[in-house]
Amino acid sequence: MKPSLDENQPLFLQIAQIILNEIVEGHIKEGEQLPSENELSSFYTINRATVRKGLQTLVDDAFIYKQRGIGMFVSEGAYQKIVEERQKQFRQNYITPLLEEGARLGMDVQKSSN
């Protein structure tokens, strides 16, 4: 199913996030070629320059790399790097605040009862 794009967020970041999700979910493997800019812009019905900007973001972060005249490919180690970054963000955004609030409320995190 085609993910819908949210007009409230920059489209290029959404394209980058979709590709990262595809890598994490195993739909695109390390070393595999990504769809072309033209294919992505046609599929999502957005400007090719927007797709290029999203892909460049991933190149800048070393998740993918360009082979001139051939296309873009998923970098070796990209999966692990994405997972580690997402685990860190999840910990910062959810687990740490949850544990801090539990401590403020005097909850014992070791107990699993009400």
Side-chain angles (χ1 to χ4, degrees):
M1 180 167 58
K2 177 178 169 178
S4 59
L5 299 175
D6 179 2
E7 295 295 327
N8 296 320
Q9 295 178 337
L11 293 175
F12 78 96
L13 290 177
Q14 292 180 67
I15 293 298
Q17 199 59 238
I18 288 168
I19 293 169
L20 291 176
N21 288 343
E22 292 290 308
I23 295 168
V24 168
E25 293 168 5
H27 301 295
I28 305 173
K29 308 260 189 255
E30 293 177 0
E32 282 188 18
Q33 186 171 7
L34 298 175
S36 70
E37 290 176 6
N38 286 335
E39 291 170 326
L40 290 169
S41 66
S42 175
F43 185 74
Y44 291 104
T45 59
I46 58 174
N47 188 296
R48 186 172 163 215
T50 302
V51 170
R52 183 179 301 126
K53 189 173 180 181
L55 293 173
Q56 188 60 49
T57 301
L58 298 177
V59 169
D60 293 345
D61 292 337
F63 293 119
I64 65 174
Y65 63 94
K66 296 178 187 179
Q67 278 193 336
R68 188 178 179 131
I70 298 175
M72 301 217 185
F73 296 82
V74 178
S75 300
E76 293 299 319
Y79 171 83
Q80 188 61 38
K81 184 177 175 184
I82 296 166
V83 168
E84 288 172 1
E85 285 187 16
R86 287 186 174 186
Q87 286 174 345
K88 181 180 175 184
Q89 289 173 349
F90 186 79
R91 196 174 302 111
Q92 289 173 343
N93 294 337
Y94 298 101
I95 295 174
T96 300
L98 181 71
L99 292 173
E100 289 171 351
E101 182 64 12
R104 277 192 290 275
L105 297 173
M107 296 176 73
D108 183 353
V109 295
Q110 300 300 320
K111 291 183 181 179
S112 60
S113 64
N114 299 354

